[in-house]
Amino acid sequence: MELQKCEADLYDQNMLALKDAIELLSGKWKFCILLNLYNFGTMRFKDLIETAGGITPKVLSKELQELEENLLITRTVNNTKPVTVSYAITSHAVETQPVINSLIEFGLKHRMKIKAK
């Protein structure tokens, strides 16, 4: 009975962790933003708009704010004229890279399977 309780607690903890991760990275843009910052390094807002492909400035601003609040990116205001803002991935966010790579791999396989239908 004790083992079943332990397994149930572990299952509950895993489900909670999965829900947290999904909520943290939910939406179609957060992974794209993180991947761009991971691949290209520090980027300005304008560069993120161009590389994300279709995101609106309002949505990008919201997504960046959420990523910053969750310690996945840093926002730096540069003392330039005009003032520019740049974004960079944090060391904590680098841990999302295997997840992103797995999703890309799955997406490619899935796309091929659907096309072969």
Side-chain angles (χ1 to χ4, degrees), residues 47-99:
D47 300 327
L48 284 165
I49 287 273
E50 291 171 4
T51 58
I55 191 170
T56 65
K58 180 180 177 179
V59 171
L60 177 59
S61 182
K62 179 183 152 295
E63 298 288 276
L64 289 169
Q65 184 178 11
E66 289 177 14
L67 288 168
E68 184 182 10
E69 287 171 1
N70 286 294
L71 308 176
L72 296 174
I73 64 167
T74 58
R75 179 181 184 269
T76 304
V77 178
N78 304 303
N79 191 13
T80 57
K81 291 191 181 190
V83 172
T84 58
V85 177
S86 57
Y87 299 89
I89 197 165
T90 63
S91 58
H92 177 56
V94 170
E95 295 180 40
T96 64
Q97 191 59 35
V99 175

Side-chain angles (χ1 to χ4, degrees), residues 9-59:
D9 288 346
L10 181 59
Y11 179 80
D12 290 345
Q13 288 175 10
N14 288 344
M15 288 302 290
L16 183 58
L18 179 62
K19 288 177 183 178
D20 289 346
I22 289 171
E23 184 177 326
L24 175 65
L25 298 168
S26 67
K28 70 179 189 179
W29 297 111
K30 286 189 179 92
F31 281 118
C32 296
I33 294 165
L34 291 172
L35 183 62
N36 283 328
L37 291 172
Y38 186 81
N39 286 334
F40 302 116
T42 302
M43 298 177 77
R44 294 184 335 203
F45 190 89
K46 181 177 128 279
D47 300 327
L48 284 165
I49 287 273
E50 291 171 4
T51 58
I55 191 170
T56 65
K58 180 180 177 179
V59 171

Side-chain angles (χ1 to χ4, degrees), residues 1-14:
M1 200 61 140
E2 187 67 32
L3 182 60
Q4 287 177 336
K5 169 115 174 74
C6 228
E7 288 174 353
D9 288 346
L10 181 59
Y11 179 80
D12 290 345
Q13 288 175 10
N14 288 344

Side-chain angles (χ1 to χ4, degrees), residues 25 27 31 96-111:
L25 298 168
F31 281 118
T96 64
Q97 191 59 35
V99 175
I100 293 170
N101 289 341
S102 293
L103 285 169
I104 290 169
E105 185 178 323
F106 173 78
L108 291 169
K109 287 178 184 175
H110 180 70
R111 186 175 290 244

